[in-house]
Structure formats: C-alpha cells, structure tokens
Amino acid sequence: MKTFEVELRRTSYVVITVEATSEEDAETKAWKELNNNYEHGYCEDASWDFESIEEIKV
C-alpha cells in the first residue's frame, strides 16, 4: 500500500451583518461574531477543488 498526501483547496465566503459606528468598528465586530459563532466552519458552504497529490516515500 502506498501513502499519498492530497491537497484540496477550499474557497468559502461568509456575509455577516453588524451595526457599527465605522467601517473599522464593523470589521472588528464581524471578526468577533465569526470567532464566537462560526468556529466549526462552513464545509457545506464551500467550493472544493483538487490542488495536488504527492506520494510520500517512507
């Protein structure tokens, strides 16, 4: 049996709506919201592509 390292690329976009006093404040709040509520990721909301494959020689 051979061993391979397979690299997959995931592209995902998340839109978060926040109330803020400025663009900087909005970005800060969006990052906080992301960290607090979306820690498990968006596998179902992502686009997956094959990037590369390489055999690992032991």
Side-chain angles (χ1 to χ4, degrees):
M1 185 73 71
K2 297 178 182 181
T3 302
F4 294 89
E5 185 175 81
V6 179
E7 183 178 1
L8 303 174
R9 179 173 30 120
R10 177 184 150 189
T11 305
S12 179
Y13 297 92
V14 177
V15 177
I16 299 173
T17 302
V18 297
E19 292 184 6
T21 57
S22 66
E23 289 185 7
E24 292 81 11
D25 185 33
E27 182 178 355
T28 299
K29 289 181 177 183
W31 280 113
K32 185 175 181 181
E33 178 76 13
L34 181 72
N35 289 331
N36 289 339
N37 296 314
Y38 300 106
E39 61 191 36
H40 299 295
Y42 280 96
C43 291
E44 66 279 357
D45 291 343
S47 172
W48 291 88
D49 295 300
F50 172 79
E51 196 65 29
S52 67
I53 189 166
E54 178 180 339
E55 183 177 350
I56 299 173
K57 305 283 183 171
V58 185

